[in-house]
Amino acid sequence: VVDDMNITKDTKLKDLISTYPWLKNEMAKVNDKFKMLHTPIGKVMLGKATITEMSKKSGMDADVLISRISDLIKAHEEVMA
């Protein structure tokens, strides 16, 4: 089990994906707009985007976004346990 990463509004998406590689494929479950992570532009954004920037692009509140990502991580860890 990977240690829980403390996710804040300043957390970079690339750090999340680095810690939880499977998360890139799961992000579309959080918001349909995150399907773009699989496009060339998405790959550029992946390197720069923070939770705050992702919330603006998706129209989701940052705290809701953090909560949904945390829920995905917890669910994945339970499956892997």
Side-chain angles (χ1 to χ4, degrees), residues 16-78:
L16 277 172
I17 302 297
S18 173
T19 303
Y20 310 104
W22 53 268
L23 192 58
K24 183 176 176 185
N25 292 325
E26 298 288 310
M27 287 301 293
K29 292 180 181 176
V30 174
N31 188 303
D32 259 3
K33 293 185 178 177
F34 296 135
K35 287 180 181 172
M36 60 88 65
L37 292 174
H38 296 283
T39 67
I41 292 171
K43 288 179 180 148
V44 171
M45 292 300 298
L46 190 76
K48 300 192 282 190
T50 63
I51 293 291
T52 299
E53 291 162 355
M54 291 170 61
S55 80
K56 289 176 186 169
K57 295 270 189 221
S58 66
M60 291 178 75
D61 180 78
D63 292 324
V64 172
L65 181 56
I66 291 168
S67 175
R68 300 281 293 283
I69 292 170
S70 295
D71 289 347
L72 273 177
I73 292 167
K74 283 183 194 130
H76 189 267
E77 287 177 348
E78 285 170 10

